[in-house]
Amino acid sequence: MKAIAQNSFGDVDVLSLRELPDPTINFDEVLVEVRAAGVNPVDRLIRLGYAKDVLPHHFPLVPGWDLAGVVRAVGPAVEGFKPGDEVFGYQRKDHVQHGTYAELIAATERGLWHKPAALSFEEAGGLALTGLTAVQALRKVGVSPGDTVLVHAAAGGVGHLAVQVARLLGASRVIGTASPRNHDYLRSLGVEPVSYGDALVDNVAELVGGDGKVDVALDCVGGAALNDSPALVRDAARIVSIVDTNVLEIGGTYAYAKPVQADLEWLARHAESGDLRVTVQQTFPLAQAAEAHKLLEGRRVRGKIVLTV
């Protein structure tokens, strides 16, 4: 099979298209022909070696945890899928080597669900990791009907889904930080936009009115946004970060996506109904994975970047 792989950690030039052996599947695995693979910030961290002390890494290393594709074969213990099924999923395993930037992957059954017919392969390929992150993070802090939710970096990969998920969980108001060029885009998602920067706390207080506080803050960027969050919420326990474990020091919660089938089914159901939209800013052919990483590193992505296979 063709795949993007790296033999060392480093800049984007470590990524190259090569021929690798086709994967074999275990008794409870699913062989998937990948049609699209989402490109996520974690892929950059893997490429650079930032996660090597957390997860075992093996070379040649194929990056990627997001996918959409078609089932080619299933192991004898697999119950939920059959050849020909269109699927999407999140394929984080206990070690890093066999990722989704490839024509084929031996996928875990727990990290797959049936692709919503309403989504293209490209859209579905960008849904699982970011969608799971959004759902699981917001559930951790108990978003419920009537809440006002603030999402930092609301136009990004996780952010643009999180603002929609917050509404689906019952939030009455959703506020999102973004640069002015993304404000109209956020309004199209039913979000009240606010510019980030030194005046963020005052800007949010003016927008919210009353005591100037929100119920929940979801941090998708870290740094100054996280530092401002205690002044923005009524209860620091309802701050959740997906990027910065320092959130624990201020009494908040850290969230990390887990491959949960029930959550994938929830995402698929709402995507099928049209209540959850996946924005794909740009697609790249598999061979141009390095160019996709360059665009990702510019930190100006609206929604998702996806590789087509």
Side-chain angles (χ1 to χ4, degrees):
M1 69 173 183
K2 290 184 172 61
I4 294 293
Q6 58 185 91
N7 282 326
S8 62
F9 299 120
D11 204 350
V12 296
D13 58 4
V14 302
L15 300 175
S16 64
L17 184 68
R18 62 185 71 180
E19 289 282 345
L20 293 177
D22 289 356
T24 57
I25 54 173
N26 205 335
F27 295 105
D28 59 351
E29 290 184 320
V30 179
L31 185 64
V32 178
E33 298 175 359
V34 180
R35 300 290 177 84
V39 178
N40 296 285
V42 68
D43 300 345
R44 171 181 175 270
L45 300 181
I46 294 294
R47 191 196 76 224
L48 292 168
Y50 288 170
K52 66 181 185 298
D53 296 327
V54 180
L55 291 168
H57 288 53
H58 307 284
F59 297 110
L61 187 158
V62 178
W65 288 348
D66 254 345
L67 72 89
V70 179
V71 174
R72 176 183 287 188
V74 299
V78 171
E79 298 178 354
F81 304 98
K82 65 183 185 303
D85 284 351
E86 295 183 350
V87 295
F88 79 109
Y90 170 47
Q91 289 297 309
R92 175 171 63 82
K93 301 182 181 180
D94 295 330
H95 65 98
V96 181
Q97 183 175 22
H98 305 296
T100 59
Y101 290 17
E103 291 180 325
L104 295 168
I105 184 171
T108 63
E109 187 175 14
R110 69 180 182 274
L112 284 181
W113 192 251
H114 300 277
K115 183 183 82 67
L119 297 189
S120 66
F121 279 109
E122 292 78 11
E123 291 167 331
L127 173 59
L129 191 160
T130 46
L132 288 173
T133 302
V135 170
Q136 293 169 5
L138 291 173
R139 284 180 176 162
K140 273 196 166 190
V141 287
V143 171
S144 56
D147 279 344
T148 296
V149 176
L150 171 67
V151 177
H152 294 293
V158 173
H160 90 286
L161 294 176
V163 295
Q164 299 174 71
V165 169
R167 284 288 192 190
L168 291 169
L169 294 177
S172 61
R173 295 182 71 181
V174 181
I175 299 168
T177 71
S179 61
R181 71 184 182 89
N182 282 318
H183 284 192
D184 285 342
Y185 168 66
L186 290 184
R187 291 187 185 99
S188 76
L189 297 177
V191 179
E192 301 172 63
V194 62
S195 295
Y196 49 75
D198 294 339
L200 177 61
V201 174
D202 292 337
N203 290 341
V204 171
E206 181 179 357
L207 184 62
V208 172
D211 64 0
K213 306 284 188 179
V214 300
D215 297 295
V216 170
L218 170 59
D219 167 44
C220 301
V221 65
L226 180 59
N227 294 338
D228 282 340
S229 292
L232 292 165
V233 298
R234 297 185 178 92
D235 180 358
R238 301 191 78 191
I239 301 169
V240 57
S241 179
I242 64 169
V243 294
D244 195 337
T245 56
N246 288 326
V247 68
L248 301 174
E249 298 178 9
I250 60 175
T253 299
Y254 182 73
Y256 189 64
K258 299 176 182 179
V260 177
Q261 268 196 337
D263 292 342
L264 290 170
E265 188 276 333
W266 188 94
L267 292 167
R269 176 160 38 89
H270 288 290
E272 186 63 52
S273 70
D275 292 329
L276 190 63
R277 295 161 42 195
V278 182
T279 297
V280 177
Q281 174 176 312
Q282 190 168 343
T283 63
F284 291 85
L286 181 64
Q288 293 181 17
E291 294 304 311
H293 275 227
K294 288 179 183 178
L295 178 59
L296 183 74
E297 290 178 336
R299 298 180 181 274
R300 293 176 62 84
V301 177
R302 175 186 294 174
K304 294 300 300 279
I305 302 169
V306 175
L307 300 176
T308 57
V309 183

